[in-house]
Amino acid sequence: MTKTIRMPGGKPQGAREVAMSVLHNVETRGAYSGLELNQALQAAGLSRPDAGLATELVYGTIQRLNTIDYALQSRVKGWPKKIEPWVRALLRMSYYQLRWLTRVPAHAVVDEAVTIAKKRGHGGIGGLVNGVLRAVQREGFAGSLPQGLKTAERISLEHSHPLWLVERWLAEFGEAATERMCAANNEPPHVSARINPLKTTRDEILAKMAEAGIEAAPSRLASEGIVAVRSGNLVHTEWYKQGCFTVQDESSMLVASVADPRPGMKVLDCCAAPGGKTTHLAEKMKDEGIVVANDVHPHKEELIKQQAERLDLASVRTMTGDALELADKLTPESFDVVLLDAPCSGLGVIRRKPEIKWNKTAADIAALAELQVRLLDRAQALVKPGGTLVYSTCTIASEENGDAIRLFLERHPAFSLDPEGWPEETLKPVREAGRLTEPFSGMLQLLPDMFGSDGFFIARLRKQNG
């Protein structure tokens, strides 16, 4: 049983109640799991082990949603639509815990679920929850999928991804790669950070982490990156507060490396919040020159400023506005490097934001692809002759990635892909892992199973002189 604490209003809240509330709000209000969970944990004040359990229950339940629903539909009449949302959340997370978190005794899972059901509802709901979970205990989970399923249906249910998405990936990547990606999306994301070379070195931080009992190692993908194990939240460390590093996914670290800005340049980050790539660009330039960071939301502009201040970067300038309108606000052909890290479907970050796979549709991808091409059309006007345009997304949808670039190149013959401009240190680990298509075109698609990092797309383009 988890330790309970008193919330405002006197209601005791344990890890499972917190998790149930978060799951309820994610489903019924469209809340983001990460934000909702952080707010709930701060309000509840759980112990570290209980906060860890609540986190595991939230992310695990969302990750395995359709597998859980498939198992419960034969055990609960009217599942899921005729069951109250909070009861759905309670049964789903309890099933998840019984099946995938075997370190907690099954009787404790069932007993606490029944207690919560009676407290939030009434004895009848408690009886329903008890009956369903006891049946799960008795019958077990073996052979829960029928024989003879089509490949897409099997992968969808075994790895809990929507059928339309699995079918899409099968057509594009094949069965083996699709299964690897779906499995990778259900693994916990590792913690990674980017060293600020203006303040420290990777070796120095790794040595200090080792002294503090944190298991960490150099990233095999990003030259400034480290990967930590059982480190807790690195944002709470003194090294972070002192500006020694930025918490960032390894794939995301490659974007500024590909842009390869030099000291003294003028650089634009069109869609910059929360500032990870902006500050990386400034670090690459040794804080010499100007990095203009734009975002459409004023409150996110403040996040970028805070990151630049924490890292002691004086070269960052911030502004707010629609990226589609930047070409009207800024001087044409005035930037050496323009980065467009475009709004996208996020299908490469399902490991971190599992609700994405349930919330996104094929129609969303088509609409975003149209927006991305418009953004590229506008951003290109700000690139100097001989300058660089870098386009990136955290998705693996071809319409948003390679197709968008090919369409852009048809419309803007002054630009061409620039494979020679990619730094060798960026390409080397990808090539050594056998993940680089030869001859290299100047576009790179990382899939979420390749390096344990996010799925990411990066293209580097050059504008001809004159």
Side-chain angles (χ1 to χ4, degrees):
M1 301 281 283
T2 58
K3 178 185 175 184
T4 60
I5 57 92
R6 294 279 167 182
M7 292 287 288
K11 291 185 178 180
Q13 294 275 324
R16 293 179 181 88
E17 280 187 283
V18 169
M20 183 184 73
S21 296
V22 172
L23 290 167
H24 174 272
N25 292 342
V26 168
E27 181 181 20
T28 61
R29 302 179 190 173
Y32 294 110
S33 59
L35 294 175
E36 190 72 18
L37 180 63
N38 286 339
Q39 290 171 1
L41 291 177
Q42 287 176 13
L46 298 176
S47 66
R48 184 169 176 176
D50 278 3
L53 175 59
T55 300
E56 174 72 47
L57 290 175
V58 168
Y59 285 122
T61 301
I62 297 172
Q63 282 172 341
R64 301 286 183 176
L65 189 60
N66 70 338
T67 305
I68 294 169
D69 280 356
Y70 183 86
L72 291 178
Q73 68 184 9
S74 62
R75 293 180 166 109
V76 185
K77 187 176 180 180
W79 185 268
K81 292 186 177 179
K82 293 186 178 179
I83 305 300
E84 285 190 65
W86 73 266
V87 181
R88 285 202 299 267
L90 177 59
L91 281 171
R92 282 167 172 162
M93 73 176 197
S94 299
Y95 181 94
Y96 171 79
Q97 194 165 358
L98 287 171
R99 182 165 180 177
W100 285 286
L101 293 188
T102 53
R103 66 180 180 269
V104 179
H107 67 84
V109 176
V110 177
D111 289 348
E112 186 145 350
V114 172
T115 299
I116 294 171
K118 289 178 178 178
K119 182 174 129 182
R120 290 291 183 100
H122 51 73
I125 296 177
L128 168 69
V129 169
N130 185 64
V132 170
L133 297 181
R134 297 290 181 199
V136 168
Q137 276 186 277
R138 286 194 309 272
E139 297 161 14
F141 308 105
S144 57
L145 296 185
Q147 298 297 311
L149 289 175
K150 293 180 180 178
T151 299
E153 293 172 328
R154 177 188 62 76
I155 293 175
S156 172
L157 289 173
E158 278 189 1
H159 299 289
S160 283
H161 280 64
L163 184 61
W164 74 269
L165 190 56
V166 174
E167 290 173 339
R168 175 191 180 89
W169 288 349
L170 283 171
E172 185 167 356
F173 301 107
E175 181 176 348
T178 297
E179 192 143 18
R180 286 196 303 268
M181 283 195 293
C182 290
N185 283 340
N186 290 329
E187 294 171 358
H190 58 227
V191 177
S192 55
R194 184 193 81 236
I195 299 304
N196 179 1
L198 306 182
K199 285 182 172 285
T200 187
T201 66
R202 184 160 69 171
D203 287 345
E204 184 178 355
I205 286 294
L206 287 173
K208 289 179 178 179
M209 287 185 170
E211 290 173 11
I214 296 174
E215 186 180 334
S219 164
R220 62 192 180 109
L221 184 59
S223 60
E224 300 100 339
I226 61 169
V227 177
V229 180
R230 290 184 292 277
S231 60
N233 192 336
L234 292 177
V235 170
H236 297 152
T237 65
E238 284 302 311
W239 307 309
Y240 177 86
K241 295 170 186 174
Q242 293 165 3
C244 295
F245 58 69
T246 295
V247 176
Q248 187 179 18
D249 182 78
E250 294 167 273
S251 294
S252 179
M253 295 178 202
L254 298 187
V255 176
S257 296
V258 172
D260 197 24
R262 306 299 168 88
M265 281 186 170
K266 188 177 180 185
V267 176
L268 171 65
D269 188 351
C270 298
C271 307
K277 298 179 186 69
T278 295
T279 54
H280 195 187
L281 291 164
E283 290 167 6
K284 285 279 186 186
M285 295 161 62
K286 300 183 179 178
D287 203 27
E288 298 171 14
I290 296 174
V291 182
V292 177
N294 174 76
D295 199 83
V296 70
H297 301 291
H299 71 279
K300 290 188 176 181
E301 180 188 19
E302 191 58 35
L303 293 177
I304 302 168
K305 288 180 179 179
Q306 290 170 5
Q307 291 297 330
E309 289 171 8
R310 181 182 63 81
L311 296 162
D312 289 332
L313 296 170
S315 59
V316 174
R317 313 282 189 272
T318 63
M319 60 182 289
T320 58
D322 188 333
L324 288 168
E325 299 171 1
L326 285 175
D328 300 321
K329 295 180 177 180
L330 300 170
T331 305
E333 298 189 332
S334 61
F335 289 90
D336 299 284
V337 177
V338 173
L339 167 60
L340 175 59
D341 185 52
C344 71
S345 59
L347 296 177
V349 296
I350 289 172
R351 184 191 281 114
R352 298 180 189 280
K353 302 176 181 179
E355 67 271 18
I356 283 175
K357 61 185 174 182
W358 309 119
N359 295 343
K360 287 291 185 287
T361 66
D364 293 329
I365 293 172
L368 284 161
E370 183 180 338
L371 171 62
Q372 289 150 358
V373 171
R374 289 170 60 210
L375 286 166
L376 279 165
D377 282 345
R378 299 293 282 157
Q380 62 80 27
L382 294 165
V383 182
K384 284 182 179 179
T388 298
L389 174 62
V390 174
Y391 175 79
S392 63
T393 73
C394 58
T395 191
I396 56 177
S398 57
E399 299 97 314
E400 301 179 72
N401 295 338
D403 291 354
I405 291 298
R406 282 184 279 272
L407 182 58
F408 170 78
L409 292 173
E410 288 175 6
R411 293 152 70 124
H412 299 279
F415 284 83
S416 59
L417 284 164
D418 184 21
E420 291 80 16
W422 282 62
E424 179 55 30
E425 70 171 13
T426 306
L427 290 176
K428 184 179 178 182
V430 184
R431 182 181 288 114
E432 289 179 346
R435 301 295 188 176
L436 195 68
T437 303
E438 302 285 6
F440 178 54
S441 67
M443 300 189 290
L444 176 66
Q445 176 71 77
L446 294 176
L447 302 179
D449 62 294
M450 289 180 175
F451 294 92
S453 58
D454 291 344
F456 238 86
F457 175 83
I458 310 171
R460 178 184 165 105
L461 303 105
R462 185 167 185 80
K463 188 174 186 177
Q464 68 186 30
N465 279 299

